[in-house]
Structures are given as structure tokens and as C-alpha cells.
Amino acid sequence: MSIKKVVLHKLVMRLNDPFSTSFGTFQDKEFFVVEMIDENGVQGFGESVAFTSPWYSEETVKTNEHIMSDFLIPLLLSAPIHHPDEVSSRFSTIRSNNMAKSALEGAVWDLYAKRSNIPLAKALGGEKQQIDVGISIGIQPTVTELLRVIDQNVTEGYKRIKIKIKPGWDVDILKEVRKQFPSTALMADANSAYTLKDIEHLKKLDDLNLTMIEQPLAHDDIIDHAKLQSVLETPVCLDESIHSFDDVRHAVELGSCKIINVKIGRVGGLSESKRIHDYCKEQNIPVWCGGMLEAGIGRAHNIALTTLSQFNLPGDTAASSRYWSKDIIDPEVLVNNGVIQVPSSPGIGYEVNWTNLESYRVDKKVFVK
Ligand code: OSB
Ligand code: MG
């Protein structure tokens, strides 16, 4: 296929509720929708996931714009692409910047699936027609409020509850939650809020029957995580530390974790996500699909990826309505009893709702061959 045109739609969408983690609170999500058009006029869509500030990773909305506009889009327009797996080698002269790469690669995958007249899930080799999902709950003002929010989501049927933790909002809070919800699948995400000095404290989590603890230590560490995992019964899951297939291989070989959170943007796209999936399947390492508070297009990509068989733990892909008063796709993502029905129409399987998209749009840039 020959990519003739790329449009970057910059949107700002306000979350229904502010989202708080160990590194801060935010409510306005700024990102790009990538629209890509081939020689036959077929359109593919991708979504960028970097935030406005570099608290989760070093990439930001502005670095995404710079890297896509000045380097990656010219590379994509320079020659035809036969398969989306070729995109990563096309981008190999550009170091890192995985979220920028992934936003474009995702649009190539959608375009490829639409040209092939198959769902994106099928193009990726996924077989599930429905996926189980959990929900990630930010740090709340009070324990009472946390318990209320959890109760609401358990009642709605989410298959696993993840709560954000930080020093001072961890073991005691989780004890309360466990007491109230003795049999709910429960996990905690620290977003790198601890160090090895906290080992004795973190060991107290072993009494709480958590499915896992996500990214307790530094964002760029796999060595200390191996030390922690060796004394912790609770499985460690890595999020921020994983940027590639090789990062996964190193972490698994070192024993740094027992579970992998795959975020498409963080690892540079769907092709790399698939490689990670295949390796984890071979190694019998459970994987699940993380979230970056995506709008509908990013959410659709997460759903397609989750149809691969080793995504055997519920991910963070909650319903559109949990984040947005109106999403940018039709239909929006619905969750019934913790289950999403995977769409069966070609590509991402959801239509872009242009009225809604344009209502959020603050900028638009067009690149032509
Ligand atoms: O660490 O998984 C994380 C949100 C923003 C940045 C990082 C993370 C998260 C979440 C929410 O946990 C995931 C979601 O609901 O999309
Ligand atoms: Mg996380």
C-alpha cells in the first residue's frame, strides 16, 4: 500500500473525573488522532498516548508532534509499505519515541486490516470474540470514597479491580478493601513510588491475596525488581520498565516480574506487542493490556490486541463512559458484566464520530506525499 496522506488531529478531551496516581492528578487529555489515507482512499486510524507532561514516560504530546511531523511521517510517505510489520524497520533510524511510532503504526495496521477486509483482531492473529476487562481506580480523597467506587465497579461486573497506591496510601487501605471485598480479584499499581528500602513494608502485601503489584520500583529498573520479586510472594508486574521485546526477555530471564503489562504505545506498536505476546506465551508468562486513558480509537486498538490468547488476565480497557461524556467513535465501547464484545467489521471495527471528534479538536495538520 502507498500512503498518500496523513492528518494529525489534535484533540483535548476532559475526563469525567480527575485521575490521581502516585505522581499527580490530571483531568484534561491532549493527544493526536492519526488519520492515514492510501492510494485507494481507504482510511486508517491511530491514537497517540503520551501525556502533556513527562511523568509517566519521557514522551509528551509536543515530542510526539515533533517526532511524527519531522521524522516519522516523511519516512512513511517515502515508499510503499507491504505489511505493517515493516513499519518498525522503516522507523529504525529514529531512537525510542515509541508512543510517536505507535500512533502511526496503529493507523497502518487499521488501514491494512481494512484493505484486507478483516477485523484488526483477526489481522493480529486474535481469536477471542469477547474479552474480559478490569478497571483502574485512581487514588481517592478518602477510604470511604474508594470503597464506594470499588463497590460500584464490582456491581457493574468488572472482572478485576486495580487501585493506585503510594506511600501512605497502601497496605492499610488495601486491608480495608480486602475486608470489604474478600473474593474480588484485586491488584495495586504503584507507578514507581517505592524503593528497596520499602521491602519490609511491601512484604505485608503478601497477606492480602493480590493478583499482582504493578511497577513498585523505579520506572527504568529491572534489577531491583528482581531482588524484590525474590522475597515477595505477590507476583510483580512490570509496566513503565518495559519498552520492547528485549526488555521483556531480560526481565523474565532475571526474574524481575512474573506478569507483563503490555501497552501498545509504550512498546512502539502492535507488531512489537505481538512479539512480546508470542514470547510470553512460550514462556508461560501471563500478559494483560494496560491503558493510557485512551479515547475510542486507542481503546479499539487495545481491544483488538487483547483478543490474542496469552492476554489471559483482564486488562484496564474499561467502557468509554467511565472516562468520557461522549467518545469519538460509534458505537462507543460498552462493557457488560466485565465483558467487551469484539467488533467484527473490518479494521478497528468502530466508526469515527466526526461531529464529536471535531468538537474536541484544537489543531489539524495535513501531510501529503
Ligand atoms: O500506570 O497503568 C498505569 C493511567 C495513566 C497512566 C498510567 C497508568 C494509568 C492507569 C489507567 O492505570 C489505565 C486506564 O484506565 O486507561
Ligand atoms: Mg501502571
Side-chain angles (χ1 to χ4, degrees), residues 56 162 164 189 191 214-215 239-240 261 263:
Y56 170 82
K162 157 168 144 184
K164 294 286 190 181
D189 185 0
N191 290 107
E214 183 178 347
Q215 197 71 34
D239 172 355
E240 282 90 329
N261 168 330
K263 286 185 183 169

Side-chain angles (χ1 to χ4, degrees), residues 22 165-170 190 193-194 198 201:
S22 60
I165 57 167
K166 63 177 182 182
W169 179 272
D170 51 27
Y194 300 91
D198 301 307
H201 185 61

Side-chain angles (χ1 to χ4, degrees), residues 158-174:
Y158 280 101
K159 303 282 186 190
R160 172 278 272 152
I161 300 292
K162 157 168 144 184
I163 74 164
K164 294 286 190 181
I165 57 167
K166 63 177 182 182
W169 179 272
D170 51 27
V171 177
D172 293 344
I173 302 315
L174 281 160

Side-chain angles (χ1 to χ4, degrees), residues 45-66:
F45 294 95
E47 188 176 310
S48 69
V49 296
F51 299 108
T52 47
S53 341
W55 45 254
Y56 170 82
S57 78
E58 68 282 12
E59 291 186 83
T60 65
V61 176
K62 280 190 183 160
T63 69
N64 281 181
E65 179 167 21
H66 166 48

Side-chain angles (χ1 to χ4, degrees), residues 128-131 303 333-336 339-344 350:
K128 289 177 228 163
Q129 322 239 303
Q130 47 180 51
I131 60 167
I303 292 167
V333 173
L334 297 173
V335 175
N336 264 314
V339 174
I340 296 176
Q341 298 299 327
V342 178
S344 56
Y350 298 86

